[in-house]
Amino acid sequence: MKTVYLDVLVLENMLMNYVILHVTAKTSRYTVKSLRLALGAMVGTIYAVLALCVSNVFANFAIKIAFSALMIYASFWPKKIKEFLKISLYFYAITFLLAGVSLAALYAGNTNYVNNILITMCVGYLLVTTIAKNVQKYRRAQSISVD
């Protein structure tokens, strides 16, 4: 049986959830206060702690989707379903991208757990913000060429 330290679990989840929500806000061009992002990150962290304690209930796919929706609502408070779907799309794309970066860092070399988190946060953040800037440039170019 593996030992899981609650303080490490909470800190890691708060940081990663905050980074994911922050990058989602930047990419989707929503202005959100840091406190709201922290609230959304806290919802995700509560899920992680509950999933550790009651894994059979929280392993359900619908519960995972519900908690991610709560994270989005707590952070962005979208008023229309179209806004919610747009933010959700960015949120899941960024989440999957960062998960891929994390797995790549884990399998690429002999990194320990803390280094893997740091690599994921730094490389993932740089990668996603670079992609977001290029998408914004592309959108600006498209809007100029249409006019």
Side-chain angles (χ1 to χ4, degrees):
M1 179 176 225
K2 274 191 169 181
T3 303
V4 177
Y5 296 100
L6 187 61
D7 57 342
V8 175
L9 178 75
V10 168
L11 180 63
E12 177 218 345
N13 272 277
M14 279 295 290
L15 283 172
M16 288 306 296
N17 289 332
Y18 186 88
V19 167
I20 290 168
L21 290 167
H22 175 72
V23 174
T24 300
K26 291 279 189 197
T27 311
S28 62
R29 293 188 269 171
Y30 274 84
T31 304
V32 183
K33 294 184 179 186
S34 297
L35 192 59
R36 299 249 354 163
L37 295 177
L39 180 63
M42 190 179 304
V43 170
T45 302
I46 289 169
Y47 168 80
V49 171
L50 290 174
L52 183 68
C53 297
V54 194
S55 60
N56 57 344
V57 174
F58 286 91
N60 185 323
F61 184 71
I63 300 288
K64 292 178 182 184
I65 296 297
F67 265 89
S68 63
L70 284 173
M71 287 175 68
I72 292 167
Y73 271 107
S75 298
F76 299 96
W77 204 253
K79 297 186 183 18
K80 297 178 182 175
I81 191 73
K82 187 176 179 179
E83 282 180 86
F84 172 75
L85 292 174
K86 176 186 172 188
I87 294 168
S88 295
L89 181 67
Y90 280 108
F91 175 80
Y92 287 120
I94 290 162
T95 300
F96 294 145
L97 183 68
L98 289 178
V101 169
S102 180
L103 283 173
L106 186 64
Y107 291 119
N110 294 333
T111 61
N112 63 22
Y113 186 73
V114 174
N115 286 343
N116 191 35
I117 293 170
L118 293 173
I119 290 169
T120 300
M121 287 177 56
C122 295
V123 173
Y125 187 81
L126 291 172
L127 182 64
V128 171
T129 53
T130 302
I131 290 170
K133 286 178 185 176
N134 286 327
V135 167
Q136 288 173 353
K137 283 181 188 177
Y138 176 77
R139 285 181 182 163
R140 272 190 240 117
Q142 290 297 324
S143 66
I144 291 171
S145 65
V146 171
D147 295 339

